[in-house]
Amino acid sequence: MMNGSQWILIPPQELNKPELSMDGGVEFQTMPSPFDVPHSFRISEENKRLIIDFKYISDRDSETVKVLKKPDGFSLHIGKYSKRLFTLEIDLEVFERQYLSSLHDADKENVYFQSVLAKSKDSGDISKNNSKVLKKLAEIGFNNERMISYCF
Amino acid sequence: MRTHGRIKRFLYKNSDFLNTAAISISTLEGWILSMKLTQEKIVKHPIKSWLIESLQDAALWIYLAIILTMIACFFVKKTGNPWVSDKIKFILDQYQIKSIQKGHNEPQDHHRVTLFKKTVCFGHRWRQCLTQTCSKKIPFLGDYLVPEIRSGHISQRSKTKFYISDKSSQTEGVAGKAWCTDEAVIRANLAPIHTPENENDIEDKKNRAQEYAKATKCPEHMLQKYIQENENPPLSIAAIPVRVRGQIWGIIVLDSQNPQGVTQESVDHYQLTVAIIGQLLENL
């Protein structure tokens, strides 16, 4: 299914693209804070649980991490203060029963990746900036063949 | 701006020893004070008697010195490890050299990297309001971004403070914007206040200062000194939030007199630098 627990480097230029934002009629160029941008991630499977880990420039030891268990099979490991997503666990049995029964096997990996990150964005538990970056990462995951070949 | 003199460094390095010594001396002094000079053992030895009497007479001053030493050690410890400050200063110097586009032989204060720390200031803006016109509603006690460590060896006496508020509309400067959004903010190609054409035109300078203030969210009174001293404020600025243990601790501000001096690359290529500063600050 996927390439074990190998860390996959994320090309920084993909996630750090500056955006223009308006404030009081003035245009500012903004970029995600370097602390919100994961530099690598890994996907592994253990006991029918899909685990996606994200690594940042300041690691998870630098702050307390709380685990939020969701009823639909998701567990989010989130930094207490920064509200960054460090780990995302999915109970595959629950997840497949709920979301994937009608899909072909070939589509499943992609659906995991996209749904998981979309879910993290919707949950409101993750900081706005971090979820914005993760959403971009999900989009790259689909369009970047090198990354997909690493993952699946 | 954070500085560490010789005395501070000595106190920080030896604070554990000084505290132990202070406690030991105060115990010894207490024992000496409990002695009676009329005791037979003491009376027989005139030198011993003289020494005990002197120490008893000086007890007040000895205790005072002990208390002052302990208080000094406590506050020096509170100000943080000088070694960490030195390392952060070194990193900021390197960051300034490598990240900002500049010409040859330009003064260091034309291109700076400054670490601002969130600090509560008492009555800072209130004092300003006494002397200048303030349009904003200013609290007596407020949070400000205050310069902590700056690259280079000049422009170290900066008193610039940016007000940060719970309301994003009230925060000041590009640094304040970065604080509110928790994102890196870049503002380049700013128009100068002084140009060769407006050398004697004060009105034009004032208008330009107003435009600059609007473009950078900077309060206008901050630009007065630039008009008076016939200097230009930074023409390109970038502000990057620094987190310590997951929480925003302060902002790193890169500013340059070159309109293209600070660019996207100045932020993008030096993420690791910002991360290392954050990790060093955990030990400050």
Side-chain angles (χ1 to χ4, degrees):
Chain A
M1 182 185 169
M2 59 201 67
N3 202 4
S5 57
Q6 188 183 351
W7 285 99
I8 300 150
L9 286 173
I10 302 163
Q13 63 275 18
E14 300 277 359
L15 300 178
N16 278 8
K17 282 178 187 159
E19 291 173 2
L20 290 175
S21 68
M22 295 293 283
D23 185 354
V26 183
E27 207 172 63
F28 286 90
Q29 204 178 15
T30 59
M31 288 168 78
S33 163
F35 290 89
D36 279 324
V37 182
H39 60 71
S40 53
F41 72 97
R42 73 177 172 192
I43 304 180
S44 54
E45 202 179 319
E46 261 179 44
N47 304 326
K48 295 200 171 176
R49 292 181 78 79
L50 185 77
I51 300 163
I52 304 181
D53 292 306
F54 297 100
K55 217 186 233 183
Y56 300 86
I57 49 174
S58 62
D59 58 16
R60 62 189 297 162
D61 297 335
S62 64
E63 66 176 307
T64 316
V65 175
K66 58 180 182 182
V67 181
L68 299 176
K69 289 192 174 173
K70 301 284 173 182
D72 48 2
F74 285 88
S75 293
L76 312 175
H77 297 231
I78 295 171
K80 191 180 171 187
Y81 300 110
S82 65
K83 299 199 180 301
R84 287 175 297 179
L85 181 69
F86 284 102
T87 302
L88 211 137
E89 285 182 41
I90 309 126
D91 188 324
L92 289 176
E93 283 181 351
V94 178
F95 189 76
E96 285 181 20
R97 208 165 45 236
Q98 285 190 0
Y99 299 101
L100 297 170
S101 53
S102 60
L103 290 166
H104 299 295
D105 278 354
D107 297 330
K108 284 185 180 177
E109 285 84 2
N110 284 349
V111 172
Y112 288 142
F113 205 37
Q114 195 184 40
S115 305
V116 159
L117 296 174
K119 174 80 185 172
S120 68
K121 183 177 178 277
D122 296 338
S123 70
D125 300 309
I126 302 168
S127 78
K128 196 184 96 191
N129 293 334
N130 186 223
S131 69
K132 207 159 81 177
V133 173
L134 293 176
K135 193 174 167 249
K136 271 190 198 168
L137 177 64
E139 287 162 8
I140 297 165
F142 277 106
N143 300 324
N144 188 323
E145 280 181 16
R146 189 171 64 84
M147 206 179 274
I148 290 171
S149 67
Y150 262 117
C151 300
F152 308 115
Chain B
M1 214 79 76
R2 186 182 289 263
T3 50
H4 293 281
R6 276 186 191 174
I7 296 171
K8 259 190 188 179
R9 281 173 199 277
F10 172 81
L11 284 175
Y12 188 90
K13 205 174 169 185
N14 300 294
S15 59
D16 289 340
F17 169 75
L18 287 170
N19 275 325
T20 315
I23 292 164
S24 308
I25 291 168
S26 66
T27 313
L28 192 70
E29 185 65 23
W31 178 60
I32 290 168
L33 279 174
S34 67
M35 286 181 179
K36 284 178 184 162
L37 291 168
T38 49
Q39 278 176 9
E40 203 176 318
K41 281 181 192 172
I42 299 168
V43 173
K44 277 182 186 172
H45 301 278
I47 295 173
K48 202 191 265 182
S49 167
W50 171 80
L51 194 68
I52 290 168
E53 198 179 351
S54 304
L55 286 169
Q56 283 182 347
D57 288 346
L60 180 70
W61 298 110
I62 290 170
Y63 277 120
L64 207 62
I66 287 169
I67 290 166
L68 286 175
T69 307
M70 289 175 93
I71 289 171
C73 286
F74 172 78
F75 281 108
V76 166
K77 275 266 179 190
K78 270 246 169 201
T79 58
N81 189 340
W83 182 87
V84 175
S85 299
D86 289 347
K87 294 297 157 223
I88 293 174
K89 175 96 170 74
F90 173 77
I91 293 169
L92 293 183
D93 287 345
Q94 296 302 309
Y95 195 6
Q96 186 257 327
I97 291 165
K98 289 179 180 160
S99 67
I100 300 175
Q101 308 283 325
K102 48 190 171 282
H104 290 293
N105 298 325
E106 281 188 277
Q108 280 196 348
D109 62 337
H110 282 196
H111 314 279
R112 306 174 298 190
V113 181
T114 315
L115 176 65
F116 283 81
K117 181 188 181 185
K118 181 203 159 194
T119 312
V120 178
C121 289
F122 183 69
H124 168 68
R125 190 49 59 82
W126 178 75
R127 285 198 300 276
Q128 277 182 353
C129 285
L130 282 178
T131 51
Q132 292 151 13
T133 330
C134 286
S135 53
K136 283 182 188 170
K137 199 179 171 186
I138 304 297
F140 193 68
L141 191 71
D143 289 333
Y144 288 84
L145 290 168
V146 179
E148 183 78 354
I149 304 172
R150 175 168 279 167
S151 63
H153 64 282
I154 52 174
S155 186
Q156 298 290 318
R157 289 180 192 163
S158 170
K159 287 179 181 168
T160 308
K161 290 184 173 78
F162 295 106
Y163 176 61
I164 46 171
S165 163
D166 274 346
K167 288 182 183 172
S168 63
S169 60
Q170 286 188 352
T171 55
E172 294 173 350
V174 178
K177 172 134 180 88
W179 177 273
C180 288
T181 56
D182 195 10
E183 286 181 311
V185 178
I186 305 161
R187 194 75 183 87
N189 291 316
L190 291 159
I193 294 174
H194 301 281
T195 59
E197 292 80 38
N198 72 358
E199 210 169 319
N200 298 314
D201 191 347
I202 294 286
E203 267 316 297
D204 186 52
K205 285 178 187 177
K206 282 183 180 170
N207 290 338
R208 280 171 168 271
Q210 275 179 356
E211 279 171 31
Y212 184 93
K214 197 184 166 196
T216 55
K217 294 190 80 190
C218 177
E220 278 176 40
H221 64 80
M222 274 190 188
L223 299 167
Q224 288 299 321
K225 68 166 186 172
Y226 289 106
I227 296 175
Q228 286 161 6
E229 292 168 9
N230 219 22
E231 283 179 359
N232 270 323
L235 302 182
S236 55
I237 308 166
I240 312 158
V242 180
R243 287 207 196 127
V244 175
R245 295 184 195 94
Q247 289 176 297
I248 304 187
W249 182 93
I251 303 286
I252 291 178
V253 175
L254 293 86
D255 65 70
S256 173
Q257 293 281 335
N258 178 351
Q260 283 290 322
V262 177
T263 58
Q264 182 197 330
E265 284 74 34
S266 309
V267 178
D268 211 7
H269 293 174
Y270 297 93
Q271 290 188 22
L272 192 62
T273 309
V274 178
I276 290 169
I277 290 172
Q279 283 172 358
L280 280 170
L281 286 169
E282 285 179 11
N283 299 308
L284 192 64

